[in-house]
Amino acid sequence: MSYIRNGYVCFSHNFATIELSRGTPTLGHPDRDQTKTSKGHNMSTQNSRRTRMVSTVAVAAMGTLVLASCSGSDEGGDTARFSMTYATSNNLESPYETLANEYMETHDVDIELNPQPNDNYAQSLRTQLQGGNAADIIQTAPGSGQGQSLIELSDAGFLTKLGSGAEALVPEGSEDLFGADGVYGVPMDYTIVATAFNETAAAENDVTFPADTDELLATCADLGGAPVSAFALAGAAAPNTGMMALSISATKVFAEDPAWNQKRIDGEVTFAESEGWHDTLELIVEMNEADCFQPGAAGAGFEAITNGLAAKSSLTAFVPSGAVHEIMSGPAEGQELTLQPFPSAGEEDFILASSNYSLSLNAAAGDAASEAAQDFLAWVAEPEQSQTFADIAGVLPASGYAELDLSGTAYAPVADALQADRFAPLPNSQWVNQSVYDELGSGVQGLLTGQSTVDDVLAAMDQAWDN
């Protein structure tokens, strides 16, 4: 699609907008350390505390870039210009688009929006950065374990260090995820990785969310996988099989040792020698044998999750927290979904939570575009804009999650764990390279088909780490 601003012809791709009503909790300011492990909440479904959240999701960032084509400023005019690219997974309203449009309404600036599909975003982003033709503002990910992770990109000299506004927005305990010598990205969210549970479908099948792993396996066996399965899994999509393993590792690895990642960085532990990681992957094998997943799960794509939850043929799925509302506001409209901690072995809940989306400034942006883009990022870092992003994306805002009231929302079942500091950052955000997570995702695929063993997967993850 092309459009004209102030005499310039600009190009965008997959540009779509629809109106949504918004609703998220009233929020306070964060003051929490992500590595604390105080205990206290018993998992259960809480019908009186649920309500529908209206927003959309920004799922894990990967997609194809369009070349930035309208940066700088107008010839003979004062209107500043810069480009921004970000990943999308659907045709719902994008929070990035909304923020850009609001900014253009109140500032003398034109922003070229290049929303891109998920599939190859990380790889294409690196290609464009290396070629010097990436957008001025790019969507990145905090930490170092993904292809678009800002630690690796900043270390390679592709990003510009940001100012105090971005620094103030970084959640306490997450500073290392945003740069070694400063902040290279504005955090846009606070994402929880857990399980989306269809309360409506569960009630129709006389099922409650399992209290522990023994009850989970028993529920899977009782349902038998068809016509209703306990879980919907996109087994052909390594990011989803990897996310399943991360969700389970919260209770098997990080509940026992929230500092496990740092110990791996320091060479004190390995995946292959970790009892928690062995237990994580062995449980996946047990779940597969107990018919926890829908028929054909090993070959299914992401549509199996959306379709399964919407059609009520699956009760649960492994997704980022924002996806809960995306599904409710689209194919599962009128149904109730909640975000549930993965069942532990009878102990208190423990979840994964940290910022998963950020906006960074391309170091190769021209002077005029860079100045205008930095002004925009400073504005984005303000609490009001953080709240706007959260309202639309269905995530928690980066600037206020510790004191929020989550009763009556899809987040109610994880509220106690979040407020009691029983959580750790998303594990792969601290891994040394993307290959470790790739080996986890593809390795779990091998577990589902019987082509890999638990020992094979963990050895491959260690090798990817060390290389």
Side-chain angles (χ1 to χ4, degrees):
M1 173 183 297
S2 64
Y3 61 97
I4 299 176
R5 286 189 184 277
N6 298 326
Y8 278 75
V9 179
C10 303
F11 300 92
S12 62
H13 181 61
N14 285 356
F15 191 94
T17 305
I18 64 173
E19 293 297 322
L20 297 177
S21 59
R22 304 175 186 170
T24 51
T26 301
L27 305 163
H29 186 76
D31 257 333
R32 303 286 177 138
D33 186 335
Q34 292 184 5
T35 61
K36 297 178 182 177
T37 58
S38 55
K39 306 285 184 178
H41 171 61
N42 293 325
M43 176 171 31
S44 63
T45 55
Q46 303 177 43
N47 292 325
S48 64
R49 302 173 66 189
R50 300 180 207 111
T51 192
R52 190 173 167 214
M53 295 177 63
V54 181
S55 56
T56 188
V57 63
V59 181
M62 300 191 303
T64 305
L65 281 175
V66 170
L67 301 184
S69 57
C70 296
S71 300
S73 58
D74 292 341
E75 294 182 7
D78 297 327
T79 301
R81 309 182 64 82
F82 63 88
S83 57
M84 180 170 67
T85 192
Y86 48 89
T88 59
S89 62
N90 50 57
N91 289 325
L92 297 179
E93 179 183 15
S94 165
Y96 301 104
E97 177 186 324
T98 297
L99 290 174
N101 286 334
E102 290 183 2
Y103 190 75
M104 285 188 287
E105 289 176 1
T106 56
H107 296 75
D108 187 17
V109 63
D110 285 338
I111 306 173
E112 178 200 353
L113 302 178
N114 293 324
Q116 305 302 318
N118 282 340
D119 298 341
N120 300 302
Y121 181 77
Q123 180 179 355
S124 297
L125 174 60
R126 285 177 172 270
T127 300
Q128 298 297 332
L129 286 170
Q130 290 168 354
N133 51 16
D136 301 313
I137 292 179
I138 56 178
Q139 181 190 326
T140 53
S144 57
Q146 303 181 54
Q148 71 275 25
S149 293
L150 60 83
I151 294 293
E152 294 185 40
L153 295 179
S154 63
D155 287 348
F158 290 126
L159 305 181
T160 296
K161 188 187 303 184
L162 303 179
S164 59
E167 293 176 1
L169 202 60
V170 173
E172 184 176 347
S174 295
E175 292 84 358
D176 290 347
L177 301 180
F178 287 86
D181 61 342
V183 173
Y184 288 86
V186 177
M188 301 302 296
D189 72 310
Y190 210 69
T191 289
I192 294 173
V193 170
T195 56
F197 184 59
N198 190 325
E199 303 282 356
T200 304
E204 292 175 1
N205 288 276
D206 196 26
V207 172
T208 57
F209 194 77
D212 54 42
T213 51
D214 288 340
E215 187 177 328
L216 181 148
L217 294 172
T219 299
C220 291
D222 289 343
L223 290 171
V228 176
S229 65
F231 288 85
L233 181 67
N240 191 237
T241 54
M243 183 171 292
M244 172 173 61
L246 293 185
S247 298
I248 298 172
S249 75
T251 65
K252 301 293 185 182
V253 179
F254 298 97
E256 298 298 324
D257 188 359
W260 192 93
N261 272 341
Q262 185 59 51
K263 292 180 180 179
R264 183 64 183 87
I265 292 171
D266 295 338
E268 298 176 12
V269 297
T270 65
F271 291 101
E273 296 174 350
S274 167
E275 181 179 356
W277 278 106
H278 272 276
D279 290 345
T280 294
L281 299 189
E282 286 168 358
L283 180 56
I284 292 175
V285 174
E286 292 181 62
M287 292 172 66
N288 194 35
E289 293 173 347
D291 292 326
C292 285
F293 311 120
Q294 82 277 11
F302 281 110
E303 69 281 355
I305 295 175
T306 302
N307 295 341
L309 291 177
K312 297 185 284 189
S313 59
S314 295
L315 306 183
T316 315
F318 297 95
V319 295
S321 53
V324 172
H325 176 73
E326 180 189 3
I327 296 170
M328 284 196 302
S329 62
E333 185 174 3
Q335 301 180 46
E336 278 191 292
L337 274 68
T338 55
L339 192 69
Q340 298 278 354
F342 188 83
S344 65
E347 299 179 359
E348 292 170 315
D349 302 336
F350 195 91
I351 59 176
L352 303 174
S354 59
S355 181
N356 198 40
Y357 307 106
S358 52
L359 287 178
S360 297
L361 178 61
N362 184 355
D367 291 343
S370 178
E371 181 178 355
Q374 289 194 60
D375 289 342
F376 173 73
L377 290 177
W379 177 81
V380 165
E382 296 173 1
E384 183 177 352
Q385 282 66 253
S386 179
Q387 181 65 61
T388 296
F389 186 94
D391 288 348
I392 299 171
V395 294
L396 303 180
S399 61
Y401 62 88
E403 299 176 0
L404 49 80
D405 178 9
L406 293 174
S407 59
T409 76
Y411 285 88
V414 299
D416 287 351
L418 185 66
Q419 293 169 345
D421 294 323
R422 295 196 305 273
F423 62 92
L426 305 180
N428 61 324
S429 68
Q430 297 179 312
W431 292 354
V432 295
N433 57 61
Q434 183 182 358
S435 297
V436 182
Y437 187 59
D438 290 343
E439 291 292 350
L440 176 61
S442 61
V444 171
Q445 290 175 317
L447 296 180
L448 298 175
T449 60
Q451 295 173 302
S452 298
T453 67
V454 169
D455 288 338
D456 292 337
V457 178
L458 297 178
M461 293 174 68
D462 280 323
Q463 183 176 3
W465 186 292
D466 295 334
N467 289 340

